[in-house]
Amino acid sequence: MAAKLLADDQPEAALAAADEAIKRDERIEWGHRLASLALERLGRDAEAVAAAERAVRLAPGSWAARLRLGSALRRTPGRWREAWTQAAKAVHFAPEEPDAHVLAGDLALARGEHDRAARSYRAALDGAPDHLVARINLSLALLRWERPRPHHDPAWVIDPRETGGARNAVETWARQVRLLFAVALPPVVAAGLLGGHRTQAAIAGLAVLALAAVPTLRQARRMRIWSYLPQILARDVWLTVKVALTPLSALAYTAAVLTLPVQTVPASARTGLLGFVVLNGAAVPVVRVLVEAWRGRPVLALAELTAALPERTARRNADIALWIVAARAWSLTVLAALVSPLIGGLATGPGRLAAALAVPAGIAVPAGLAWARRRTGLSGQLRRLMKADRSLALALALAITASAAIAVAGAAGALGGRAASSVAVWGWRAVPVALAGAAVVFVLRTVRARLSGLPGPWRESLVFCEGCGRRQPGDISPPVELSEEVRRAFTSSRGVVLAYADPSGPRAMAVGAVASIGPTGELCLIADDDAWQAAERDPRVSIFAADPIERRFWTEVCGTALGDAEAEVLRVTPKRVVIGEYPGPARGRR
């Protein structure tokens, strides 16, 4: 009942049903596992961890219990390593189960280990190609996605709220100091150069430097974890850029102020210092957009997202991935316009050859977009995505227009003649207009997203997929039960055989009899050291037995073996049961 209620998204009722099942028999780990999942969905993370730990104690060889505990631990600050240990055990116990690989991928993705995450998601998709969570999160790994708090390593034992407070203090300090210099320098320079009060303006400008101590001291008092600051900066690249720009702005500001009384300083030097101090704050977001457009592999990510459409999260992430592709197309078009040897409408001599070189440069971007469309399989979904985000369609159209204008201008310049030269001139005039138009579309789309709270055309709007689709999580699955006839066969037989993997190949050994069978079907075997060592290498084993009473009946239990040093037995948790009769076909049950 609890499992059905969880599938129907009724965690409160599911928790009540799980608690009732636990009261009837608290030795059944499934009840604790379902209670943990219900508590997690209710936001009671600490209780969810405690319930999952009870499930693991009752069935340490259950991959589903390990999966549940790992899933619960990852929500608890400072317990990422424990969660990773449980996920690794779930994969070790049941490598054929996709959800175990998905949890390992999610944990790796949380730390920014994109290659490891991609391997885990691909392993999950090998066994379950329809696993939407694995496919969507694989696209995030391919895009080199980062969590909203990239400065915090989930493996740190410190609370993320503390590192978040430290990051905010550093970012606020950098922003306030740079803003102070950017606001103060223009009037100081204007008073010195235009008003003729160079010395007085320089003195006033130097006094502003003292004001920078106010935000510095204020934010320094907010810092409580100075020892983590180098690691925070190492993980958050753009925070490091802002911090590095702050002393550089101070140096540029100081140089601009001190050189005011010096009349021999070139105007270009003054302009450069003024521009750096005033514009560095606005330049960082622009540079960030262009740099991050070239991170990851958006075409491969779009191929994965296309396979997950029309799922809502996949559709949102596909739209943002297309914006990344559009930013790349825009960047390449700008590069083609800058490096093309065609200047104006060259029409004679070697200029024709130079003009012809602009043709492939202009064709490259539309050709690349056409290839990406075929590679991703988006042909059937592209129109729907463009209709949902008309700004994206317009930005792509303008980038393609600019590329086409480069190709047309190059072809016209190569042909020569008055008419062709005129076409080339107008083509080159159209290039910056189209590129500027695409940039304006992006800015307007960004502003609209900020004002309306909608997802914006940037990486931060990518969504991590958790619980997407209708597939139920693996940790909700029931344990394998042993029927009475199977229990009788193992407890009565004196010819129980244990099969396991050995470096030299598969091996089998007689274990005499099963010492005991737990309420959840766990088999306790007395085995020699070879079997214990084999279970440590690969816990997947099979146990065979024949019923001495019903002589034609035989059974095989495939499961996970763990050594219990205190009880001196191998505890085997069943994953699959096969029964049959001599002679006759086997009847499998999982």
Side-chain angles (χ1 to χ4, degrees), residues 45-46 49 72-83 147 149 152-163:
D45 294 338
V49 171
L73 285 170
R74 71 171 173 172
R75 299 177 181 275
T76 306
R79 304 192 71 176
W80 182 93
R81 295 189 186 280
E82 296 175 67
R147 298 177 309 115
R149 297 191 300 265
H152 182 81
D153 188 341
W156 293 344
V157 295
I158 191 171
D159 193 309
R161 289 174 294 186
E162 294 190 46
T163 57

Side-chain angles (χ1 to χ4, degrees), residues 1 3 18 27-35 55 475-479 481 520:
M1 178 62 72
R27 298 173 300 171
I28 306 298
E29 61 86 20
W30 192 28
H32 298 281
R33 189 154 35 96
L34 295 176
D475 48 10
I476 204 175
S477 59
E481 297 182 357
T520 60

Side-chain angles (χ1 to χ4, degrees), residues 93-316:
F93 293 169
E96 72 281 359
E97 294 292 341
D99 286 327
H101 294 284
V102 169
L103 176 60
D106 291 348
L107 291 169
L109 190 61
R111 290 198 73 194
E113 298 175 353
H114 301 104
D115 293 336
R116 176 185 284 185
R119 287 193 297 271
S120 295
Y121 292 134
R122 287 194 174 102
L125 291 171
D126 287 342
D130 61 340
H131 203 299
L132 289 181
V133 175
R135 197 166 293 281
I136 294 173
N137 289 349
L138 172 59
S139 71
L140 295 180
L142 293 171
L143 287 170
R144 294 298 190 261
W145 173 79
E146 292 180 344
R147 298 177 309 115
R149 297 191 300 265
H151 64 278
H152 182 81
D153 188 341
W156 293 344
V157 295
I158 191 171
D159 193 309
R161 289 174 294 186
E162 294 190 46
T163 57
R167 184 198 183 281
N168 290 338
V170 173
E171 186 177 33
T172 301
W173 166 76
R175 182 178 62 252
Q176 290 179 347
V177 171
R178 288 186 293 131
L179 181 61
L180 173 65
F181 294 149
V183 171
L185 187 57
V188 168
V189 172
L193 298 182
L194 302 180
H197 306 288
R198 293 174 179 265
T199 303
Q200 294 86 339
I203 295 173
L206 292 175
V208 173
L209 287 172
L211 295 178
V214 176
T216 301
L217 294 175
R218 183 187 300 120
Q219 301 307 324
R221 285 197 296 268
R222 291 179 56 192
M223 286 288 294
R224 296 290 184 269
I225 49 172
W226 287 96
S227 60
Y228 278 89
L229 183 57
Q231 300 173 69
I232 291 174
L233 294 175
R235 289 187 59 85
D236 195 332
V237 175
W238 295 105
L239 176 63
T240 304
V241 170
K242 295 174 184 177
V243 170
L245 284 174
T246 304
L248 292 177
S249 296
L251 290 174
Y253 177 88
T254 304
V257 170
L258 291 177
T259 55
L260 276 177
V262 183
Q263 299 185 5
T264 58
V265 175
S268 58
R270 296 186 192 277
T271 303
L273 292 172
L274 178 63
F276 179 82
V277 173
V278 174
L279 299 178
N280 72 83
V284 170
V286 176
V287 173
R288 181 174 183 175
V289 168
L290 295 176
V291 170
E292 292 196 341
W294 291 94
R295 290 189 61 207
R297 307 173 72 179
V299 174
L300 292 181
L302 277 169
E304 299 297 337
L305 291 169
T306 302
L309 291 173
E311 205 281 329
R312 183 177 180 181
T313 303
R315 187 168 63 249
R316 168 172 170 164

Side-chain angles (χ1 to χ4, degrees), residues 232-536:
I232 291 174
L233 294 175
R235 289 187 59 85
D236 195 332
V237 175
W238 295 105
L239 176 63
T240 304
V241 170
K242 295 174 184 177
V243 170
L245 284 174
T246 304
L248 292 177
S249 296
L251 290 174
Y253 177 88
T254 304
V257 170
L258 291 177
T259 55
L260 276 177
V262 183
Q263 299 185 5
T264 58
V265 175
S268 58
R270 296 186 192 277
T271 303
L273 292 172
L274 178 63
F276 179 82
V277 173
V278 174
L279 299 178
N280 72 83
V284 170
V286 176
V287 173
R288 181 174 183 175
V289 168
L290 295 176
V291 170
E292 292 196 341
W294 291 94
R295 290 189 61 207
R297 307 173 72 179
V299 174
L300 292 181
L302 277 169
E304 299 297 337
L305 291 169
T306 302
L309 291 173
E311 205 281 329
R312 183 177 180 181
T313 303
R315 187 168 63 249
R316 168 172 170 164
N317 289 351
D319 179 71
I320 297 166
L322 283 171
W323 271 107
I324 294 174
V325 172
R328 289 192 177 189
W330 186 88
S331 303
L332 288 174
T333 306
V334 171
L335 182 63
L338 292 176
V339 304
S340 175
L342 179 62
I343 301 176
L346 297 177
T348 60
R352 293 190 177 186
L353 178 60
L357 295 177
V359 177
I363 295 176
V365 170
L369 291 174
W371 170 82
R373 179 179 177 178
R374 291 193 301 271
R375 177 69 175 80
T376 59
L378 264 176
S379 300
Q381 300 284 345
L382 190 58
R383 180 173 297 181
R384 185 176 301 174
L385 291 170
M386 294 297 178
K387 186 177 180 180
D389 192 347
R390 298 189 182 277
S391 297
L392 171 62
L394 181 57
L396 278 171
L398 288 170
I400 294 172
T401 300
S403 298
I406 292 175
V408 170
L415 291 174
R418 180 176 298 179
S421 297
S422 178
V423 171
V425 170
W426 282 104
W428 280 105
R429 289 177 179 176
V431 172
V433 174
L435 291 173
V440 170
V441 169
F442 175 81
V443 172
L444 292 177
R445 175 71 170 79
T446 300
V447 172
R448 183 165 67 90
R450 294 290 189 189
L451 295 177
S452 61
L454 296 173
W458 49 73
R459 284 178 171 272
E460 288 78 2
S461 296
L462 291 168
V463 178
F464 177 78
C465 179
E466 185 176 4
C468 302
R470 298 181 179 180
R471 184 187 183 94
Q472 294 302 312
D475 48 10
I476 204 175
S477 59
V480 174
E481 297 182 357
L482 301 184
S483 64
E484 288 300 324
E485 56 184 357
V486 172
R487 288 174 178 266
R488 185 179 65 242
F490 277 110
T491 54
S492 303
S493 176
R494 292 298 178 265
V496 178
V497 176
L498 172 67
Y500 57 91
D502 187 81
S504 60
R507 289 192 59 186
M509 64 176 296
V511 294
V514 174
S516 64
I517 301 178
T520 60
E522 184 180 67
L523 305 175
C524 295
L525 308 177
I526 299 175
D528 63 12
D529 293 341
D530 289 344
W532 281 61
Q533 294 172 5
E536 291 178 358

